[in-house]
Amino acid sequence: MTSIATAGASVTEQHAAIAGARPWQRLVLLAVGLLVALGLPWFVYPPVAMDIAAWALFAVALDLLLGYCGLLSFGHAAFWGGSAYATGLIAIHFGVPFPVAVFGGALFAMLLALPIGYLSVKRSGIYFAMVTLAFAQMLFFIANQASALTGGENGLQGVPRSFFGIEAVETDSFFFYYAALPIILLGMWAAWRIVHSPFGRVLVAIRDNAPRARALGYDVERYKLIVFVLSAGLSGLAGGVFAVSHGFVALPELHWATSGEVVLMTVLGGIGTLWGGVIGAGLIVLLADYLASSGFDGIGIVTGGVFVTVVLLFRRGIWGTARHLWLSRRKPT
């Protein structure tokens, strides 16, 4: 918690630096990001590339809540996994194209976030984190017990990739990646638009000084609830794509460890940067895939060691530190 708070304290400084960034630099970053996204399945096994994209959106969704509103959630697996189950059930029982099922899952995640968020945003700090964790574990227990619907410990199997009868997309992971990528990019754009809107500025004000924002007339709890629901919806988009990509939804998608993993990715890349979540997700997914392919069982030990090293050496995260160093060079001496 201390390292997260320290990293979060530098977010205001980072936003001030962004204001001085030149438009052409932003366009170059965007172009590079798009090229990487489009070329990823050519250099990485396509299912792994899809995992990176889904986890990247999940990390960006959490960063929207953590980096820009200062709310650390340990229960976001409820929305990732809840949407995955909802997407799978819609795809199985209604036979709709997978984008429809994914958006249906995201809607379910947002509806689920309403009561959870309403009760959680009344707390802050570690209390908020623990309340969200408790709700997520409740959903995990319900999914485990409702085996007739969710498959219980065996998971929800046979999730189809229906896509308007286009066989290449439905059977080949390479083409499926490009069919699902627009959903991921749409979620990324939505997060960017939220952050750079007047609503996003209010969120930063609430994060920095909630009593002052309340004194200025802003309904702090209402803003927190709205961003909580929006973050859940983006997490739901990511979870739905992940479920369709694998054709299977496992019970651990709702487990607290999944929430912890996305927090690790976000902090590793840099809180309050959006791009940091993408980098953190790519690093962790690629590292885990490499270690698993090598037959190494202690993946958590390695990823945990990487996390500790980055937090100790780069308090702003990988992307946050790199951007800070770059912008420092531009300052007149």
Side-chain angles (χ1 to χ4, degrees):
M1 288 295 291
T2 302
S3 61
I4 292 174
T6 303
S10 66
V11 176
T12 302
E13 177 186 343
Q14 293 169 4
H15 283 298
I18 290 175
R22 297 171 184 174
W24 70 265
Q25 293 175 330
R26 298 177 187 174
L27 290 176
V28 168
L29 283 174
L30 178 61
V32 170
L34 287 174
L35 286 175
V36 171
L38 291 172
L40 196 58
W42 291 89
F43 302 98
V44 179
Y45 187 46
V48 177
M50 194 72 262
D51 283 359
I52 293 173
W55 277 100
L57 179 55
F58 191 18
V60 167
L62 180 69
D63 195 25
L64 186 64
L65 188 67
L66 174 58
Y68 294 90
C69 199
L71 296 174
L72 172 60
S73 170
F74 277 135
H76 256 48
F79 312 122
W80 162 274
S83 174
Y85 274 107
T87 298
L89 290 170
I90 292 171
I92 291 171
H93 295 291
F94 295 96
V96 296
F98 81 81
V100 177
V102 168
F103 282 106
L107 179 60
F108 172 79
M110 295 177 76
L111 293 174
L112 183 65
L114 277 172
I116 295 177
Y118 179 78
L119 296 173
S120 300
V121 299
K122 298 179 184 299
R123 300 291 180 265
S124 60
I126 189 64
Y127 302 104
F128 174 85
M130 291 298 101
V131 170
T132 55
L133 173 62
F135 278 114
Q137 287 303 102
M138 285 173 57
L139 192 63
F140 174 86
F141 176 79
I142 292 172
N144 188 30
Q145 295 299 311
S147 56
L149 182 65
T150 65
E153 294 182 351
N154 296 320
L156 184 65
Q157 304 179 27
V159 178
R161 293 181 182 173
S162 302
F163 191 69
F164 307 103
I166 302 177
E167 186 176 355
V169 174
E170 297 175 353
T171 59
D172 193 320
S173 297
F174 181 84
F175 293 105
F176 171 78
Y177 174 88
Y178 289 103
L181 183 61
I183 299 176
I184 300 295
L185 294 179
L186 177 63
M188 297 285 190
W189 175 83
W192 179 89
R193 188 68 190 90
I194 291 168
V195 166
H196 292 86
S197 68
F199 174 80
R201 302 304 181 191
V202 175
L203 292 180
V204 174
I206 292 172
R207 181 204 64 208
D208 291 343
N209 196 322
R212 181 175 295 178
R214 187 177 287 108
L216 290 173
Y218 293 109
D219 189 337
V220 172
E221 281 69 31
R222 179 169 170 266
Y223 274 89
K224 287 182 177 180
L225 177 59
I226 292 173
V227 73
F228 188 85
V229 172
L230 291 173
S231 176
L234 294 178
S235 301
L237 280 180
V241 170
F242 186 85
V244 177
S245 174
H246 285 255
F248 173 81
V249 183
L251 193 60
E253 305 307 333
L254 288 167
H255 196 258
W256 65 267
T258 299
S259 298
E261 189 169 359
V262 74
V263 170
L264 183 151
M265 293 175 179
T266 306
V267 176
L268 188 64
I271 295 174
T273 63
L274 293 186
W275 282 103
V278 177
I279 293 174
L283 178 62
I284 293 299
V285 173
L286 286 174
L287 181 60
D289 178 68
Y290 173 77
L291 293 174
S293 301
S294 303
F296 184 73
D297 294 329
I299 297 175
I301 298 175
V302 176
T303 55
V306 171
F307 175 73
V308 171
T309 302
V310 170
V311 167
L312 290 177
L313 299 180
F314 312 106
R315 69 185 184 90
R316 295 178 176 88
I318 296 173
W319 178 257
T321 300
R323 187 174 66 183
H324 174 75
L325 293 174
W326 169 258
L327 294 173
S328 297
R329 293 177 57 191
R330 292 176 51 208
K331 293 180 180 180
T333 56

